[in-house]
Amino acid sequence: MATVLSRRALNRATLARQFLLERVDLPTVEMITRLGGLQAQTPHTWYVALQNRLRSPDPHEVGRLLTEGALVRMSLMRSTLHLVTPQEARWLRGTTGEVMARDLENSSHGKATTGLDRSAVLDTARRILEEEPLAPKRLGERLAEHWPGVPGPHLSYVVRCLLPVVQVPPRGVWGASGPPALAPADTWTGLPMNAEPDRERLVLRHLAAYGPASVQDIQAWSGLTRLKAVVEGMRDRLVSLRGEEEENPEGARGPVELFDLPHAPRPGSDLYPDLLPDTPAPVRFLYDFDNLLRAHADRSRVISAEGRRRIAVRNGMPPATILLDGSVVATWRVNPTRSSARTRSLEVSAFRPLTGSEAEEIVHEGRLLLDFLAPGQSGREVRIHDPD
């Protein structure tokens, strides 16, 4: 019979792999790779993932790595922008290409370009972007010169989904700004982007970073479908576990089967005797699109149903959140104070009343975050607002 993992044990297993139980001394590139990339569709908020996971985060080093091409930002899992190495980008783009194509077909852009010779659009776009990186708006305008009957936004979206492209610096560089200019990923990285899909590798990468996980979890993270057969074919390399009884994706009550890597950190494993369901989980401030909240179909291991309701948004940016004892208990944002545009306050909105020690831990961690976001500034404070 498969081992049953409590929700708290699942929580600690995932936090350990996400480096959210304690900060680590790892090269930035290695950490990003082990996390399966960072969702990075905003220019800078994802830098918080460095602050809450590394002992000595250096945002300027990451900006340099982006500028030098050792890291790239491109659309991959769930058709969203991720920060990855060029080597990871190659096989991930080959594997998630169908997700990108489905994104196009399900959009108004896809409907508007049905019947268009999209291969010709991609060939023309490549020639244009090899001359110079362009923002999607400008690229669409250039393409519309060749297809005057098709609005530019439709044409540029075809390119965004079907031609592997990266967003080039200075966009995404710490302390810098710039338009979301696109360049062909192969010419920018020097690596061909024609890797064959590798679904097994994707399953292994997800389990290493977010496991234990169900097939539905892996599909939710990647955007891929029909992964059940892939996982079934890997059973001899994986561990089969069970989560607590819950309503599974088919609507029936019962434990969902979870899969994991044999040697991954997990409470109950003889390889990690110090990792327990009650292992302390310190306060951590997560950014708006932190991987932890987007890697599972069932997110109850890190956030309650009430928490999900509180952070739900129909459109726009989701709020940044705070982990306390491994679960989301509050949202946060940084605001200029009224007295000075250079002075920053960190506003915390709690979901429930906090104890004195919980508030102290949040204030302490919040000050560390402010030191990272705006080093050397004085007069900063962390304000905790009680729930309504």
Side-chain angles (χ1 to χ4, degrees):
M1 179 177 293
T3 299
V4 176
L5 286 182
S6 68
R7 189 169 288 113
R8 191 172 179 86
L10 277 177
N11 173 275
R12 294 310 195 258
T14 303
L15 294 183
R17 300 169 206 207
Q18 284 287 302
F19 309 117
L20 289 170
L21 289 180
E22 60 178 336
R23 290 180 170 92
V24 294
D25 289 316
L26 282 177
T28 302
V29 168
E30 181 180 345
M31 185 206 73
I32 291 170
T33 299
R34 288 173 61 175
L35 293 179
L38 297 180
Q39 189 163 337
Q41 60 215 68
T42 62
H44 300 118
T45 62
W46 49 268
Y47 278 87
V48 172
L50 309 178
Q51 186 274 339
N52 60 30
R53 290 168 166 90
L54 294 176
R55 288 200 179 97
S56 301
D58 185 350
H60 298 288
E61 177 207 15
V62 179
R64 176 181 59 78
L65 293 171
L66 266 173
T67 302
E68 295 176 353
L71 291 170
V72 295
R73 292 168 66 237
M74 69 183 300
S75 296
L76 296 166
M77 285 71 73
R78 304 181 304 284
S79 192
T80 57
L81 273 174
H82 278 71
L83 179 76
V84 296
T85 67
Q87 295 77 15
E88 291 285 289
R90 183 170 184 263
W91 75 267
L92 281 171
R93 185 59 175 80
T95 306
T96 59
E98 65 184 79
V99 180
M100 304 290 298
R102 187 175 67 242
D103 179 3
L104 174 62
E105 297 306 329
N106 291 340
S107 70
S108 59
H109 307 292
K111 296 177 177 63
T113 56
T114 299
L116 192 68
D117 186 350
R118 291 174 177 171
S119 294
V121 173
L122 301 183
D123 290 341
T124 303
R126 171 179 284 281
R127 289 195 297 271
I128 292 171
L129 294 178
E130 284 177 343
E131 294 174 1
E132 63 172 330
L134 292 176
K137 182 176 185 297
R138 180 57 183 146
L139 173 62
E141 292 170 349
R142 291 283 303 276
L143 290 171
E145 297 171 4
H146 300 268
W147 287 271
V150 184
H154 296 321
L155 295 168
S156 64
Y157 206 80
V158 169
V159 176
R160 181 252 184 210
C161 290
L162 301 185
L163 181 68
V165 291
V166 297
Q167 277 199 14
V168 301
R171 185 80 166 184
V173 173
W174 185 255
S177 62
L182 306 177
D186 52 4
T187 57
W188 182 260
T189 65
L191 295 176
M193 290 289 151
N194 59 352
E196 291 294 319
D198 193 340
R199 288 179 156 219
E200 290 192 357
R201 186 175 182 181
L202 180 136
V203 168
L204 295 173
R205 183 54 49 85
H206 180 272
L207 294 179
Y210 305 104
S214 68
V215 171
Q216 293 82 9
D217 291 331
I218 303 168
Q219 292 181 161
W221 170 72
S222 65
L224 293 168
T225 59
R226 305 182 305 278
L227 287 180
K228 183 176 182 180
V230 177
V231 175
E232 288 292 339
M234 302 171 65
R235 274 190 179 273
D236 61 341
R237 288 181 276 162
L238 303 176
V239 175
S240 175
L241 306 161
R242 294 281 178 180
E244 291 181 330
E245 183 172 311
E246 59 187 326
E247 186 172 334
N248 63 36
E250 286 73 34
R253 299 289 301 185
V256 173
E257 185 174 20
L258 305 172
F259 297 91
D260 205 5
L261 306 178
H263 303 297
R266 186 173 59 250
S269 167
D270 293 339
L271 298 174
Y272 298 90
D274 296 330
L275 181 59
L276 305 170
D278 290 329
T279 293
V283 165
R284 289 293 183 262
F285 283 68
L286 305 180
Y287 69 105
D288 39 22
F289 290 103
D290 195 284
N291 299 8
L292 184 68
L293 293 179
R294 279 152 188 85
H296 304 94
D298 174 12
R299 296 187 289 168
S300 62
R301 71 181 70 188
V302 291
I303 185 170
S304 67
E306 172 63 15
R308 292 197 302 273
R309 185 189 67 77
R310 286 178 173 270
I311 68 172
V313 291
R314 290 184 178 272
N315 296 297
M317 297 278 291
T321 54
I322 297 175
L323 293 179
L324 176 66
D325 192 29
S327 296
V328 174
V329 298
T331 61
W332 66 273
R333 64 180 182 177
V334 174
N335 289 326
T337 63
R338 294 180 180 178
S339 60
S340 170
R342 284 185 56 79
T343 304
R344 295 286 189 266
S345 68
L346 199 155
E347 309 286 339
V348 173
S349 297
F351 297 169
R352 61 167 175 79
L354 301 172
T355 67
S357 60
E358 289 174 339
E360 287 179 5
E361 190 177 358
I362 287 175
V363 168
H364 173 74
E365 187 65 27
R367 287 173 176 162
L368 293 179
L369 177 59
L370 285 172
D371 286 341
F372 174 79
L373 296 174
Q377 291 190 16
S378 60
R380 294 162 299 179
E381 55 186 333
V382 178
R383 299 172 179 166
I384 298 178
H385 303 283
D386 293 330
D388 297 332

